[in-house]
Amino acid sequence: MSRLPQPPRRRSRWGLFIAPALLLIAAVAWSAFWFFAASQVDVQADAWRAREAKSGRVFDCANRSVAGFPFRLEVRCTDPNVALFSQAAGTPLMNAKLDEILVVAQVWDPKRVIAEFKGPAMIADGRGPTSFSVNWRVGEASVRGLPGPPQRADLVFEQPTIDRIEGNTAVPAARADHAELHGRVAEGSPPDHPVLETALQIANGSIQGSHPLLAEPFNTDVQARVTGLKDFRPKPWPERFREIQAAGGHVEIVQSRIQQGELLAVAAGTLSLTANGGIDGEVQMTVAGIEKVIPALGLDKMLENGVPQGTLDRVAPGVKSQDVNNLLGALDRAIPGLGKVVKQNANVGVALGINALGKEATLEGRKARTFPLRFADGVVVLGPFKVARVPPLF
């Protein structure tokens, strides 16, 4: 007797709903987590502002809002104001007002925040009137390590401009196509004596109202290490420099490259501060095309007859007429009549003098010279030439 076929067993449809149900639960849980995190922004922001205020950095915001659901936290601050105070003196150091700051953090990486700035920034020295107006096309910052002490910070600006405010007039002070500054605490450095590693890049930068050489567009890339710091709290610059000097700190220029027209230079060395606040140390330079900038440096003027001290002060601050006479006298003693030839052919004489400073070298396929640039308690010496004097930093 044959068995009748069994009807097919009906499969349960509950399995079809498990995945959507789990997805819905995850979405609800994530939404609850995001809104809880957003609700804590004000609490964390106020706690962070309190900590910063104790360190002399006061941040105020006219209006604050939170957005970015579901994966980011975006905190928008309109009409922000940033004030730096000296804790020792209890006096304001700087005050800056901006149009808007947008701070963004990924929910899964809250210790790294990215900020976008909307200019202009009006900067005042202490409680005085506005001193500078700073603007840019794009301004961004990135900080890692928050809410604790920052371990790394990066600033990037596209087309930044700086103007001095003189009365009701904005006077151009600095321009660039691109500028970025990076800083991080060196790995292994103690918290009470941090070693700061920095990198600065400027593309087509210029500085007006200073030395004529700086008014021409230049590109620069500098990497340096700073030691002698105790902390990163706001302090007047003289106080900061005095602190570095007392701790035996220095600035080590690990490498640098500057290009301006036909001039190309790379340099490395270490600079420190004397007890008088003067810069001391030596930077080893390799330069190609230095003869192109001799007139801008003012070295040719030092060799002309009858140059008054006022002219020397304008073209080469800190250089004395007696220094020029001593140099020419030394040339005459070495080779009679050479001093007169140098006076009559100032540019050629200076170029020959510079070529005698160091050794021949090649820099990026170009003929160059390698020589030291010395700083002696604020006096800048290029071979036999005292080319400038840097005022004491404290």
Side-chain angles (χ1 to χ4, degrees), residues 301-323:
K301 295 297 183 182
M302 300 179 198
L303 302 180
E304 293 181 357
N305 276 319
V307 178
Q309 187 60 53
T311 301
L312 280 175
D313 286 336
R314 288 193 297 273
V315 300
V319 177
K320 303 299 182 184
S321 296
Q322 187 60 39
D323 295 331

Side-chain angles (χ1 to χ4, degrees), residues 164-383:
R164 289 192 308 273
I165 305 300
E166 298 181 358
N168 295 323
T169 305
V171 179
R175 297 287 187 271
D177 287 345
H178 176 86
E180 55 184 85
L181 175 64
H182 308 276
R184 67 179 181 182
V185 178
E187 186 176 354
S189 62
D192 55 340
H193 290 87
V195 176
L196 185 62
E197 297 178 337
T198 64
L200 172 66
Q201 295 180 0
I202 299 176
N204 286 328
S206 62
I207 301 175
Q208 288 77 36
S210 181
H211 197 284
L213 189 62
L214 298 178
E216 297 297 324
F218 60 85
N219 298 319
T220 184
D221 188 347
V222 181
Q223 297 181 27
R225 287 169 58 94
V226 183
T227 65
L229 299 169
K230 289 185 178 180
D231 51 50
F232 298 120
R233 296 178 178 179
K235 298 175 182 178
W237 282 111
E239 181 181 340
R240 177 74 72 186
F241 290 133
R242 190 177 291 109
E243 173 185 288
I244 293 175
Q245 193 277 331
H250 59 267
V251 176
E252 177 189 357
I253 302 174
V254 179
Q255 65 180 32
S256 65
R257 182 185 186 277
I258 300 175
Q259 185 169 14
Q260 183 186 57
E262 295 296 320
L263 176 68
L264 176 62
V266 297
T270 301
L271 302 176
S272 58
L273 292 170
T274 66
N276 300 321
I279 299 177
D280 208 64
E282 181 177 302
V283 176
Q284 194 69 25
M285 301 187 67
T286 301
V287 182
I290 193 172
E291 67 279 356
K292 302 292 184 181
V293 297
I294 284 175
L297 289 172
L299 299 182
D300 56 333
K301 295 297 183 182
M302 300 179 198
L303 302 180
E304 293 181 357
N305 276 319
V307 178
Q309 187 60 53
T311 301
L312 280 175
D313 286 336
R314 288 193 297 273
V315 300
V319 177
K320 303 299 182 184
S321 296
Q322 187 60 39
D323 295 331
V324 177
N325 294 333
N326 291 341
L327 172 62
L328 296 175
L331 293 176
D332 275 328
R333 288 192 297 272
I335 302 177
L338 180 59
K340 182 178 180 180
V341 173
V342 169
K343 292 177 186 178
Q344 295 173 348
N345 302 275
N347 284 349
V348 176
V350 174
L352 290 174
I354 291 174
N355 286 337
L357 299 179
K359 301 177 180 179
E360 289 186 0
T362 301
L363 181 59
E364 299 183 12
R366 298 173 57 188
K367 290 184 178 181
R369 303 293 297 186
T370 296
F371 52 85
L373 180 67
R374 297 184 177 90
F375 294 79
D377 198 16
V379 177
V380 186
V381 182
L382 180 61

Side-chain angles (χ1 to χ4, degrees), residues 10 142 228 381:
R10 298 182 63 183
S142 173
V381 182

